């Protein structure tokens, strides 16, 4: 698939070669046990053709071996448990997805990790990677939409003997290919834009090293935390329109950012896709295209509530990347941001409708 463009790869990725009399698209395979005898699958916790079809499509886009897991946090926790040993040092974004920090401090407390939390835009001081086993970056970061230099940090992490992983949820593999920029590992929540319909949870880890992929598959089989075949099939179905959805979402984000830039009620507007954003030049160098998520601040929590009440198209929901425009006031989840800070996820509505609705809702 690598010779084709993004839209083609999304539409055709992971689907079987045409063969007369077989279904154009295979449906989900629900089997728990399989008939024994051949070399194929034997039990649904260890292997499933519906997983492999989607893993082939996503792995092709990421440029690595993809291991599907039932949520983004399942991807993160499976990776951390597979790679980290007692007493290891780990670098995490202080401004990234909050549950990753909770996981490390609460669930993985028994590992007594040396956790170094660094904001995505840095500073990345000399020696930050000394003695580190794993560096996890998140760029663009959720919810702040800050950006760090994957290639430069991968080089420094490797020089220090560390593995470099990137949480690529916000960008999706169409927006950014961390493995091509030097990262060893990509993790992602496919609950967000990759599946994009706000009706399921899914995640994956993609890696360059086949042995690490094997270890992750084994961890999935033995932990028992496996994706459901039906959800997997829905993600594969949704992946077909990722290119189209992202285009509309990015167009809508661009239109909204332009409309809100000089709005008196709006402060702290950030979207890496706009040339006046402080992260734009770096994002442009390493990203392939933009997505629909941006952020801004209103005066306080009440102003956000009033905005949602007055809007006919934007609802409050704590996810992003879906067909429907949503807004999330992040302070309510404990993110270290002001009370009126919102992450806005532009959906696939018509731009004119969305801009008009958001402007009237802001009053
Ligand atoms: C949502 C999210 C996750 C967690 O994914 P789930 O599918 O909800 O488990 C991890 N990282 C980022 C950046 C996210 O936005």
């Amino acid at each position: 698939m690598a010779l084709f463009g993004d839209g083609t790869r999304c539409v055709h990725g992971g689907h079987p070669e045409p063969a007369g009399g077989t279904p154009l698209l295979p449906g989900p395979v629900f089997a728990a046990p399989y008939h024994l005898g051949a070399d194929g699958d034997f039990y649904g916790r260890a292997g499933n053709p519906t997983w492999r079809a989607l893993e082939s499509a996503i792995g092709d886009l990421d440029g690595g071996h993809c291991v599907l897991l039932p949520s983004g946090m399942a991807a993160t926790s499976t990776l951390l448990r597979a790679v980290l040993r007692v007493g290891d040092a780990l670098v995490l974004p202080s401004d990234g997805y909050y549950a990753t920090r909770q996981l490390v401090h609460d669930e993985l407390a028994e590992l007594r990790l040396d956790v170094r939390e660094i904001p995505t835009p840095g500073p990345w001081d000399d020696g930050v990677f000394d003695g580190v086993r794993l560096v996890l970056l998140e760029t663009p970061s959720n919810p702040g939409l800050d950006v760090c230099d994957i290639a430069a940090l991968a080089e420094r992490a490797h020089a220090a003997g560390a593995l470099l992983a990137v949480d690529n949820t916000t960008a999706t593999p169409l927006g950014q290919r961390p493995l091509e920029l030097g990262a060893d590992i990509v993790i992602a929540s496919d609950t967000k834009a990759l599946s994009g319909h706000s009706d399921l949870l899914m995640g994956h880890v993609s890696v360059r090293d086949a042995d690490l992929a094997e270890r992750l598959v084994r961890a999935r089989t033995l932990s028992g935390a496996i994706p459901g075949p039906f959800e997997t099939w829905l993600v594969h179905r949704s992946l077909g329109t990722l290119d189209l959805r992202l285009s509309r979402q990015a167009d809508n984000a661009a239109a909204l950012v332009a409309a809100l830039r000089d709005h008196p009620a709006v402060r702290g507007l950030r979207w890496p896709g706009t040339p006046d954003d402080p992260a734009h030049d770096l994002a442009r160098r390493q990203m392939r295209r933009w997505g629909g998520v941006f952020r801004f601040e209103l005066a306080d929590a009440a102003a956000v509530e009033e905005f949602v009440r007055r809007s006919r198209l934007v609802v409050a929901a704590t996810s992003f990347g879906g067909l429907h425009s949503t807004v999330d006031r992040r302070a309510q989840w404990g993110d270290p941001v002001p009370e009126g800070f919102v992450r806005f996820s532009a959906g696939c509505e018509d731009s004119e409708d969305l801009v008009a609705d958001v402007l009237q809702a802001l009053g």
Side-chain angles (χ1 to χ4, degrees), residues 181-223:
L181 296 166
D184 304 287
I185 299 156
V186 165
I187 59 177
S189 167
D190 303 327
T191 310
K192 316 292 169 51
L194 192 137
S195 68
H197 289 67
S198 308
D199 52 9
L200 56 83
L201 288 95
M202 192 62 69
H204 77 269
V205 184
S206 287
V207 296
R208 288 202 288 200
D209 177 24
D211 290 340
L212 179 54
E214 278 296 310
R215 269 160 63 204
L216 295 167
V217 167
R218 192 177 149 78
R220 177 178 67 188
T221 303
L222 295 180
S223 74

Side-chain angles (χ1 to χ4, degrees), residues 14-358:
H15 292 305
E17 291 295 323
T22 62
L24 185 66
L25 299 171
V29 174
F30 295 116
Y34 293 75
H35 288 293
L36 296 179
D39 275 347
D41 290 308
F42 60 96
Y43 191 60
R45 179 159 43 71
N48 173 294
T50 312
W51 298 348
R52 287 194 296 276
L54 180 59
E55 285 171 340
S56 152
I58 297 177
D60 169 66
L61 292 172
D62 273 336
H65 306 277
C66 171
V67 180
L68 202 64
L69 289 146
S71 67
M73 284 313 296
T76 305
S77 63
T78 303
L79 174 74
L80 296 189
R81 286 186 192 280
V83 167
L84 296 172
R85 298 290 167 263
V86 173
D88 274 351
L90 165 72
V91 172
L92 282 186
S94 60
D95 52 350
Y97 188 63
Y98 71 114
T100 303
R101 293 191 297 278
Q102 280 179 1
L103 167 77
V104 165
H105 293 297
D106 301 350
E107 288 299 304
L108 300 181
E110 82 260 22
L111 290 181
R112 297 190 299 281
L113 300 169
D114 165 8
V115 184
R116 305 179 191 171
E117 294 188 13
I118 300 175
T120 296
W124 296 89
D125 294 334
D126 289 348
V128 276
F129 298 144
D130 289 354
V132 166
R133 171 90 63 186
L134 178 71
V135 177
L136 175 61
L137 307 177
E138 195 178 296
T139 177
S141 59
N142 169 18
L145 283 317
D146 258 311
V147 173
C148 59
D149 189 332
I150 296 173
L153 292 172
E155 205 166 294
R156 288 179 55 189
H158 291 155
L163 287 168
L164 187 106
V166 178
D167 184 328
N168 204 39
T169 301
T170 311
T172 84
L174 299 198
Q176 178 170 275
R177 303 227 162 102
L179 299 183
E180 290 178 1
L181 296 166
D184 304 287
I185 299 156
V186 165
I187 59 177
S189 167
D190 303 327
T191 310
K192 316 292 169 51
L194 192 137
S195 68
H197 289 67
S198 308
D199 52 9
L200 56 83
L201 288 95
M202 192 62 69
H204 77 269
V205 184
S206 287
V207 296
R208 288 202 288 200
D209 177 24
D211 290 340
L212 179 54
E214 278 296 310
R215 269 160 63 204
L216 295 167
V217 167
R218 192 177 149 78
R220 177 178 67 188
T221 303
L222 295 180
S223 74
I226 58 163
F230 186 67
E231 284 72 19
T232 305
W233 175 77
L234 280 175
V235 174
H236 203 162
R237 190 186 205 264
S238 304
L239 179 65
T241 55
L242 176 59
D243 179 57
L244 293 171
R245 288 183 281 106
L246 271 188
S247 295
R248 175 62 73 89
Q249 289 170 339
D251 287 350
N252 282 347
L256 286 165
V257 166
L260 297 182
R261 179 175 290 116
D262 299 318
H263 195 286
V266 171
R267 280 169 304 151
L269 184 65
R270 292 286 307 270
W271 185 55
T274 187
D276 54 3
D277 191 276
H280 179 74
D281 289 341
L282 174 55
R284 225 188 145 73
R285 263 186 276 134
Q286 69 185 7
M287 294 186 71
R288 310 170 70 248
R289 61 196 284 178
W290 315 117
V293 184
F294 60 98
R295 54 96 146 171
F296 58 90
E297 281 163 48
L298 298 180
D300 50 25
V304 176
E305 215 167 282
E306 178 67 6
F307 167 69
V308 173
R309 200 186 57 73
R310 291 172 61 127
S311 169
R312 292 177 60 199
L313 298 178
V314 183
V315 294
T318 187
S319 189
F320 59 89
L323 290 176
H324 308 82
S325 287
T326 58
V327 75
D328 194 19
R329 194 177 68 77
R330 292 303 306 176
Q332 71 186 307
W333 307 107
D335 278 351
V337 294
E339 286 296 320
F341 178 109
V342 295
R343 183 185 62 209
F344 193 108
S345 176
C348 294
E349 298 89 350
D350 286 308
S351 294
E352 309 82 75
D353 294 339
L354 201 49
V355 169
D357 178 69
V358 164

